[in-house]
Amino acid sequence: MSQPTPAATELPTLPGDTTVAFGVADIIVVVCYFVFVLAVGIWSSIRASRGTVGGYFLAGRSMTWWPIGASLMSSNVGSGLFIGLAGTGAAGGLAVGGFEWNATWALLALGWIFVPVYIAAGVVTMPEYLQKRFGGQRIQIYMSVLSLILYIFTKISTDIFSGALFIQISLGWNLYLSTVVLLAVTAVYTIAGGLTAVIYTDALQTLIMVLGALVLMFIGFEKVGWYEGLQEKYSTAIPKIIVPNTTCHLPRADAFHLFRDPVTGDIPWPGLIFGLSVLALWCWCTDQVIVQRSLSAKNLSHAKGGSVLGGYLKIFPMFFIVMPGMISRALYPDEVGCVDPDICKRVCGAAVGCSNIAYPKLVIELMPDGLRGLMIAVMMAALMSSLTSIFNSSSTLFVIDIWQRVRRKASEQELMIVGRIFILILVVISILWIPIIQSANSGKLFDYIQSITSYLAPPITALFILAIFCKRINEPGAFWGLMVGLAVGLVRMIIEFIYSTPSCGEEDRRPAVLKDLHYLYFALILCVLSAIAIVLVSLCTPPIPEEKLACLTWWTRHRKASAIDLKNCKREEAQINPPRGESNLVESADSGDKEETAKPPCWKMLFLWFCGLSTGPAPTLSQEERAALERRLTSIEEKPLWKTVCNVNAILLLTINVFLWAYFG
């Protein structure tokens, strides 16, 4: 036996060094899984109506409560959340689970307050609601552009980065190769399927993701000796190599408490309750990705049921994502808990820390063969599902709010094709963005996502709350309030990018506004500032006439507009109300264009089928049928029985939620 080396100089092995035995069973599982997902996507696409804006973007308004609830959960729980939540859990303990539990309140607000107003107003996108509520163009364009920026910065790029990190750690592939393959499959399946494909496969993936994560949770808890063992092992999870004279290697003393000191805590409790509610309301009640799910419900009761189911599902991430992140640190303190910048750089490529690898590390080390393959397939699927949701929603925003401004007379067919081309452009931008995240990944991915959101989203939360509850708010107030909020938020965001977080042992040279003002406090302050600006400017300018607010606020949601202003009512059901451009298209097909009246060539038929566009003329409806359809689509009536069932469930859900907060507080 050779002489023993002192433990201190033993360097932790790198993820790259340990080639994981990715067994035959794993590979078979991955392949079968993806074939299955594509089959479900194609089946649901053939069943659904995809040739219309209402069908492609809102799943033909036919969804029931359980796919909506599952989809609300899974379009939010992407692989970014798995990696980010587990990573922040590994670094700082339970408090980050409060982000998930806070969502329950916001989801109920969505079903009981926001969705009734949106349905009554008959809108497809959120900027479109603001346009109906305030009139004018500038707010709608501002909102669409801001949403697209937020998607690229916080959602698309972080999801792709975390998915690529996962593949890299598990398969040792090149980061870019794995990303490109992943995006190619995702894009094919979104472009071909539209929202129905997204919602059905979402329901399936959520199920597998949750089951896989639960299996991993039990294996992990068994390894550390259940909850007591985790408390003991986590508090002693210290890496072998530390930076002398610092405390960054020590786990937090308050790791097992949700409520932390309002001044020194890493997630202060007033921020967790009030500041986070601002972000939660933005995310769950005004964000296109989420609201689009609820708006595809058959009726209001199904939308509420979806909210309640989503709320129940959001209880679990604390147990199957945050705690496994902590288990990962307890079992692998040298890799997950590393503090020495050189070692961290060797382990995961980031000098600030490697908490992001907590979840993938656990999957690779603890999962048995076959299940490991399933878990990786599911993480990829989670990534695909959240990317699909975002691609779909961004193309909806772009087509309905931006493209239709540029091309007033665009036909249905042109809009569908532009939407799909826009998805391809997003994919290219996302791939180019990867190196930026790789270099800019501060220690905690989840904190990066939340902090960017808290600089840009609060003014929107303020605006939506005031738009729905306060009739006095008008267009100039809304617009200038958003501008003030944007200016303040951007200043903080730019400062954040200029001054990077110091790694262990470096002195903190950041200005006080950054160092001492937690981003959750900043979100709350920004929301209040924007609200004050909106109210002040509104009071100084003339109000919107009462009759123009029918169906558009909480107080007027049951009051129908005297004559529905179809000019503003964009195209909730575009095939039923073909715009002039489209009816011209049908007419011109008869007269001038001989090739169109004849049967189109085979390649064109195939292309149209792939995009779900019909080759026949659009159906036309009489005035009465159109009015009846308008009434059905904007009805917020509920059957008394189902209304009661939803209310009882909501109260039960809130009781459980309050109990959990108190127990872990």
Side-chain angles (χ1 to χ4, degrees):
M1 187 182 163
S2 62
Q3 62 193 42
T5 50
T9 56
E10 249 177 63
L11 290 184
T13 51
L14 314 190
D17 300 349
T18 52
T19 43
V20 177
F22 201 61
V24 180
D26 296 328
I27 294 167
I28 294 172
V29 169
V30 173
V31 172
C32 293
Y33 184 78
F34 279 111
V35 169
F36 181 61
V37 168
L38 277 172
V40 172
I42 291 168
W43 166 78
S44 60
S45 308
I46 292 170
R47 256 192 46 175
S49 59
R50 302 167 353 190
T52 64
V53 170
Y56 182 75
F57 292 133
L58 279 187
R61 266 286 165 83
S62 61
M63 280 293 158
T64 49
W65 60 275
W66 63 269
I68 293 174
S71 176
L72 281 175
M73 167 83 169
S74 60
S75 55
N76 182 253
V77 179
S79 58
L81 197 73
F82 265 95
I83 286 187
L85 266 184
T88 306
L94 288 180
V96 72
F99 281 76
E100 297 302 289
W101 289 352
N102 197 299
T104 303
W105 304 83
L107 272 165
L108 295 180
L110 170 71
W112 270 256
I113 297 172
F114 288 81
V115 166
V117 178
Y118 297 151
I119 292 180
V123 292
V124 181
T125 72
M126 295 301 95
E128 190 188 351
Y129 167 73
L130 290 178
Q131 204 265 333
K132 277 189 162 187
R133 168 72 175 79
F134 297 112
Q137 309 277 321
R138 49 191 188 169
I139 295 182
Q140 191 175 0
I141 294 172
Y142 164 88
M143 282 285 298
S144 303
V145 174
L146 183 73
S147 304
L148 290 173
I149 292 173
L150 269 169
Y151 287 160
I152 291 172
F153 271 110
T154 63
K155 293 205 166 116
I156 301 182
S157 52
T158 52
D159 267 357
I160 291 175
F161 165 68
S162 46
L165 184 73
F166 211 94
I167 301 186
Q168 198 186 12
I169 288 181
S170 51
L171 302 183
W173 284 7
N174 175 318
L175 200 70
Y176 295 95
L177 171 70
S178 35
T179 313
V180 173
V181 170
L182 191 82
L183 284 171
V185 178
T186 309
V188 163
Y189 143 117
T190 317
I191 292 174
L195 190 65
T196 324
V198 177
I199 287 184
Y200 277 112
T201 47
D202 261 4
L204 165 86
Q205 281 165 7
T206 310
L207 185 70
I208 299 187
M209 202 157 50
V210 171
L211 291 177
L214 286 172
V215 170
L216 183 57
M217 175 186 84
F218 282 117
I219 298 177
F221 267 125
E222 196 194 34
K223 269 272 191 297
V224 292
W226 304 102
Y227 194 66
E228 294 76 30
L230 175 62
Q231 285 177 307
E232 183 191 325
K233 287 205 173 73
Y234 181 83
S235 45
T236 56
I238 297 170
K240 292 198 189 86
I241 298 174
I242 60 173
V243 179
N245 308 325
T246 62
T247 56
C248 16
H249 55 276
L250 297 174
R252 293 188 66 91
D254 53 7
F256 288 88
H257 300 290
L258 276 177
F259 294 134
R260 303 197 171 165
D261 189 283
V263 184
T264 58
D266 59 336
I267 300 176
W269 71 262
L272 190 61
I273 292 181
F274 304 109
L276 186 56
S277 301
V278 172
L279 302 188
L281 282 175
W282 169 78
C283 172
W284 296 100
C285 304
T286 70
D287 180 23
Q288 183 67 22
V289 175
I290 301 292
V291 177
Q292 196 177 7
R293 300 281 172 282
S294 292
L295 289 183
S296 62
K298 269 184 183 162
N299 56 37
L300 184 55
S301 296
H302 278 288
K304 286 184 176 179
S307 274
V308 171
L309 178 63
Y312 277 120
L313 290 174
K314 289 300 276 180
I315 289 173
F316 294 112
M318 169 71 104
F319 302 104
F320 67 69
I321 304 181
V322 180
M323 288 181 185
M326 299 173 72
I327 292 173
S328 181
R329 169 158 179 176
L331 295 177
Y332 314 107
D334 289 332
E335 286 95 333
V336 178
C338 75
V339 284
D340 185 287
D342 303 335
I343 293 185
C344 291
K345 212 150 181 61
R346 275 189 44 189
V347 172
C348 64
V352 202
C354 288
S355 56
N356 282 339
I357 67 168
Y359 204 82
K361 181 85 182 147
L362 210 58
V363 172
I364 301 304
E365 300 285 348
L366 296 188
M367 281 296 227
D369 278 358
L371 273 182
R372 187 191 300 132
L374 184 64
M375 203 55 196
I376 284 170
V378 170
M379 297 305 272
M380 293 303 101
L383 172 74
M384 282 167 54
S385 107
S386 66
L387 280 179
T388 332
S389 305
I390 294 159
F391 285 152
N392 201 292
S393 303
S394 344
S395 71
T396 313
L397 277 177
F398 180 76
V399 165
I400 292 182
D401 295 324
I402 299 174
W403 190 256
Q404 274 194 323
R405 296 247 181 291
V406 184
R407 306 246 321 154
R408 297 265 170 218
K409 291 191 173 180
S411 69
E412 188 83 16
Q413 200 161 339
E414 179 187 326
L415 291 182
M416 301 297 289
I417 290 170
V418 167
R420 278 139 167 133
I421 290 172
F422 184 68
I423 291 180
L424 292 177
I425 295 171
L426 276 183
V427 169
V428 174
I429 296 176
S430 316
I431 294 180
L432 296 177
W433 192 249
I434 292 175
I436 297 176
I437 300 191
Q438 255 190 305
S439 58
N441 60 351
S442 63
K444 303 173 197 163
L445 183 73
F446 192 71
D447 284 15
Y448 161 80
I449 300 172
Q450 297 300 337
S451 57
I452 299 280
T453 310
S454 61
Y455 307 146
L456 297 175
I460 302 174
T461 309
L463 176 64
F464 270 91
I465 293 175
L466 289 170
I468 282 179
F469 286 113
C470 181
K471 292 193 243 179
R472 182 63 182 81
I473 304 298
N474 58 17
E475 199 273 346
F479 181 73
W480 291 110
L482 285 178
M483 286 298 133
V484 168
L486 179 70
V488 176
L490 280 178
V491 168
R492 163 91 191 223
M493 187 165 130
I494 291 164
I495 297 177
E496 177 95 37
F497 277 135
I498 295 173
Y499 295 94
S500 57
T501 326
S503 55
C504 191
E506 288 179 8
E507 73 170 297
D508 198 341
R509 290 207 179 82
R510 297 174 301 169
V513 65
L514 206 60
K515 195 165 51 177
D516 304 331
L517 184 64
H518 194 274
Y519 62 82
L520 290 175
Y521 288 148
F522 181 80
L524 190 59
I525 295 169
L526 185 57
C527 182
V528 173
L529 259 181
S530 311
I532 293 171
I534 293 171
V535 172
L536 286 180
V537 179
S538 295
L539 292 176
C540 300
T541 43
I544 296 175
E546 182 79 20
E547 65 275 7
K548 292 221 171 133
L549 293 178
C551 314
L552 295 176
T553 68
W554 174 253
W555 317 112
T556 59
R557 65 191 189 284
H558 293 295
R559 196 186 310 160
K560 287 293 168 218
S562 45
I564 292 180
D565 180 7
L566 278 177
K567 182 175 87 257
N568 266 357
C569 250
K570 274 281 172 37
R571 37 217 296 170
E572 164 56 60
E573 280 292 316
Q575 82 276 35
I576 283 140
N577 177 16
R580 289 181 307 284
E582 185 154 337
S583 31
N584 296 350
L585 192 86
V586 177
E587 287 151 26
S588 69
D590 303 337
S591 51
D593 205 348
K594 286 287 180 289
E595 189 208 29
E596 284 299 319
T597 50
K599 203 169 170 212
C602 297
W603 63 268
K604 192 160 185 184
M605 294 276 280
L606 188 72
F607 171 71
L608 290 174
W609 173 81
F610 181 70
C611 284
L613 299 169
S614 61
T615 42
T620 47
L621 291 185
S622 69
Q623 207 62 43
E624 295 81 45
E625 288 175 311
R626 191 175 298 173
L629 191 106
E630 189 77 39
R631 270 198 307 278
R632 185 178 77 76
L633 287 178
T634 58
S635 150
I636 49 175
E637 300 303 312
E638 294 182 85
K639 294 195 173 112
L641 168 70
W642 293 117
K643 189 173 178 174
T644 317
V645 168
C646 288
N647 290 344
V648 169
N649 263 303
I651 292 167
L652 188 66
L653 173 62
L654 285 181
T655 316
I656 295 173
N657 188 273
V658 171
F659 167 75
L660 284 169
W661 275 100
Y663 183 78
F664 284 99

